[in-house]
């Protein structure tokens, strides 16, 4: 596999790019766009997402860690990524905080499905142990730092809805890119031993 | 079986992360409400400073501990980082402009960057054959996710019901408990070290 593609996968930069755009100002989006949003409901929305991930993640982790070939992990990655990519568009359609709670739950399910699958596929295709990822997570942090500023700039100049639209599009292409990378260079490739 | 010292390390990390997890989901609203010069862009910029600082200082600290007196530097790093995290909520209360917030975010990033490396080194040192790194990090992730989820709801509720100042006091108390736990961790290790050395004299 091309070493730049491998770095891209390990640095998880494509997902970071999309999430980093929205993360710092998500609370402001809710406050401005959703009628009954307040400090408590915004905290609750974040709590619902994290608790959904916390409850589901051990099960998906168990499922992917026992998957020696990686096929199940790949299916989970596709399904989870599709749910995550759907989330920004659902935010655009939401009308009150109840919608946001449901969307946060869907987003949590997507992350709980895709994140362990993603780790497993990195392990299988790149033959890397988690302890060796430190330089890539530093790169990832620096990239998401730049992206956070960019997200703020887009929201300031073009509005929150435009930002959400960009996030959705980026996530959609990131999901397709990651899925095709694993399909081409990972499990279905003759270059398995990289 | 996870040893008591490993549990204490886990507690230090959980308290520090949950302290800021109380504030993090509503931080943009706190900044918009409290600072006249805040807008969407400079709130995102504050977040950027935090991430750059965290990445930079974790890299610097990793190089720093590779040289002499490694274990002393790691322990000092843990204490210093938890102390900085305990002080920052007080500075949030007295910040006047977004420039102050940028500085606070840089300090928080520095503290989390140093703490990440120091905590990982100490944890790896304490892991035995009975507890694998993978199992420990999965358990830690699970506790942290649940902790952050509960902290987000609690933080939002306190800010909504009682305003930001009590929330910042709670953040301080969590972070200070983390600092106190790290002191306990360091001092108990010294005691044990002395106790094991004494018979040889």
């Amino acid at each position: 596999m091309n070493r730049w593609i491998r770095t891209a996968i390990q640095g998880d930069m494509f997902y970071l790019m999309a999430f980093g755009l929205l993360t710092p100002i998500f609370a402001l989006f809710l406050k401005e766009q959703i009628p009954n949003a307040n400090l408590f409901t915004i905290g609750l929305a974040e709590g619902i997402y994290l608790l959904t991930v916390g409850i589901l993640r051990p099960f998906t982790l168990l499922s992917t860690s026992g998957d020696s070939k990686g096929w199940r992990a790949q299916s989970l990655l596709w399904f989870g990524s599709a749910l995550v990519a759907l989330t920004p568009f659902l935010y655009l359609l939401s009308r009150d905080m109840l919608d946001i709670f449901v969307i946060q739950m869907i987003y949590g399910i997507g992350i709980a499905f895709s994140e362990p699958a993603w780790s497993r596929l990195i392990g299988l295709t790149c033959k890397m142990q988690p302890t060796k990822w430190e330089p890539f997570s530093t790169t990832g942090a620096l990239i998401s730092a730049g992206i956070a500023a960019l997200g703020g700039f887009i929201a300031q100049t073009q509005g929150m809805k435009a930002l959400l639209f960009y996030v959705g599009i980026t996530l959609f292409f990131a999901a397709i890119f990651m899925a095709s990378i694993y399909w081409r260079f990972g499990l279905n490739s003759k270059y398995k031993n990289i | 079986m996870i040893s008591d010292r490993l549990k204490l390390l886990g507690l230090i990390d959980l308290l520090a992360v949950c302290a800021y997890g109380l504030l993090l989901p509503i931080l943009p609203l706190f900044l918009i409400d409290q600072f006249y010069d805040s807008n969407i862009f400079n709130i995102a910029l504050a977040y950027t400073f935090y991430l750059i600082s965290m990445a930079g200082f974790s890299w610097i600290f990793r190089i720093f501990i590779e040289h002499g007196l490694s274990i002393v530097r790691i322990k000092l790093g843990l204490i210093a980082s938890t102390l900085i995290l305990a002080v920052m909520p007080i500075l949030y209360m007295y910040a006047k402009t977004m420039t102050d917030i940028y500085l606070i975010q840089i300090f928080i990033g520095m503290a989390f960057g140093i703490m990440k490396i120091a905590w990982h080194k100490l944890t790896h040192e304490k892991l035995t054959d009975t507890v694998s790194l993978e199992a420990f990090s999965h358990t830690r992730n699970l506790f942290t996710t649940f902790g952050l989820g509960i902290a987000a709801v609690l933080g939002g509720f306190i800010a909504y019901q009682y305003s930001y100042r009590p929330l910042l006091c709670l953040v301080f108390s969590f972070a200070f408990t983390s600092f106190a736990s790290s002191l306990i961790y360091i001092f108990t290790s010294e005691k044990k070290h002395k106790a094991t050395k004494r018979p040889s004299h």
Side-chain angles (χ1 to χ4, degrees):
Chain A
M1 187 188 292
N2 182 299
R3 68 189 174 101
W4 288 108
I5 295 174
R6 202 163 75 172
T7 308
I9 293 171
Q10 289 157 354
D12 45 36
M13 63 174 65
F14 295 98
Y15 274 87
L16 282 172
M17 271 169 73
F19 292 134
L21 282 167
L22 188 62
T23 308
I25 46 172
F26 180 62
L28 287 178
F29 159 74
L30 294 181
K31 186 78 176 169
E32 281 182 13
Q33 305 289 328
I34 309 295
N36 53 348
N38 57 43
L39 288 166
F40 175 57
T41 50
I42 290 168
L44 191 60
E46 184 69 16
I48 286 172
Y49 156 68
L50 286 166
L51 291 174
T52 309
V53 174
I55 291 165
L56 288 180
R57 200 175 176 279
F59 298 105
T60 50
L61 198 65
L62 206 64
S63 171
T64 51
S65 61
D67 183 19
S68 58
K69 299 273 183 192
W71 294 105
R72 202 188 306 144
Q74 195 171 45
S75 305
L76 280 175
L77 180 76
W78 287 356
F79 185 63
S81 300
L83 287 180
V84 171
L86 200 67
T87 309
F89 299 110
L90 292 176
Y91 283 139
L92 282 172
L93 298 172
S94 59
R95 291 286 173 268
D96 63 5
M97 279 308 286
L98 201 61
D99 297 348
I100 295 291
F101 295 153
V102 176
I103 297 166
Q104 288 292 91
M105 215 178 277
I106 292 170
Y107 178 42
I109 293 168
I111 292 290
F113 276 40
S114 58
E115 198 261 333
W118 188 1
S119 305
R120 180 70 184 149
L121 286 173
I122 287 174
L124 283 172
T125 57
C126 301
K127 312 285 182 213
M128 292 279 281
Q129 294 301 313
T131 46
K132 291 178 184 172
W133 292 357
E134 283 300 322
F136 298 110
S137 63
T138 305
T139 316
L142 286 172
I143 289 165
S144 54
I147 295 297
L150 180 68
F153 179 73
I154 293 171
Q156 180 81 25
T157 53
Q158 296 178 35
M160 292 279 192
K161 287 191 174 174
L163 176 68
L164 271 176
F165 187 72
Y166 293 145
V167 171
I169 294 290
T170 316
L171 272 176
F172 181 73
F173 281 108
I176 289 177
F177 179 77
M178 296 296 279
S180 53
I181 285 266
Y182 284 120
W183 181 259
R184 172 66 184 84
F185 294 101
L187 306 177
N188 306 291
S189 163
K190 57 182 177 183
Y191 313 107
K192 266 187 182 174
N193 298 316
I194 46 177
Chain B
M1 187 72 188
I2 295 176
S3 71
D4 287 345
R5 295 190 57 74
L6 213 50
K7 283 178 192 166
L8 189 59
L9 272 174
L11 184 72
I12 292 166
D13 176 61
L14 188 68
L15 283 168
V17 171
C18 287
Y20 284 87
L22 285 163
L23 185 64
L24 206 62
I26 52 166
L27 185 66
L29 296 178
F30 166 73
L31 297 178
I32 284 281
D33 290 344
Q34 304 288 316
F35 299 94
Y36 69 93
D37 57 344
S38 63
N39 57 42
I40 295 173
F41 178 62
N42 57 27
I43 288 169
L45 206 59
Y47 192 77
T48 301
F49 282 130
Y50 159 75
L51 287 170
I52 290 174
S53 169
M54 190 175 75
F57 279 99
S58 66
W59 181 69
I60 291 166
F61 189 68
R62 193 185 297 128
I63 293 168
F64 179 65
I65 59 170
E66 276 172 8
H67 298 94
L69 296 169
S70 172
I71 192 69
V72 177
R73 289 178 181 190
I74 291 169
K75 285 177 178 177
L76 279 175
L78 185 73
I79 290 178
S81 58
T82 47
L83 179 65
I84 294 168
L85 289 176
V87 171
M88 285 307 122
I90 300 167
L91 295 185
Y92 266 130
M93 284 186 212
Y94 295 104
K96 291 275 180 277
T97 62
M98 280 304 288
T99 314
D100 301 342
I101 293 295
Y102 294 153
L103 280 174
I104 293 170
Q105 291 292 101
I106 289 170
F107 277 116
I108 293 174
M110 179 176 82
F112 272 116
I114 293 172
M115 191 186 158
K116 187 177 89 173
I117 301 298
W119 189 85
H120 274 283
K121 292 281 178 192
L122 288 170
T123 310
H124 286 207
E125 194 187 63
K126 293 286 163 220
L127 282 172
T128 56
D129 294 336
T130 50
V131 185
S132 72
L133 172 64
E134 201 182 7
F136 184 75
S137 59
H138 288 331
T139 314
R140 184 231 173 194
N141 281 347
L142 185 70
F143 275 96
T144 309
T145 313
F146 274 111
L148 281 173
I150 294 164
V153 179
L154 187 66
F157 176 74
I158 290 169
Y160 178 65
Q161 203 71 29
Y162 305 104
S163 89
Y164 292 111
R165 197 165 275 255
L167 175 66
L168 287 170
C169 291
L170 193 67
V171 174
F172 168 74
S173 61
F174 270 52
F176 187 79
T177 315
S178 171
F179 168 61
S181 307
S182 67
L183 283 179
I184 291 168
Y185 180 85
I186 302 301
F187 282 117
T188 51
S189 80
E190 278 178 4
K191 266 184 193 171
K192 279 191 178 175
H193 186 63
K194 279 176 190 168
T196 49
K197 271 197 165 181
R198 208 168 287 150
S200 65
H201 288 292

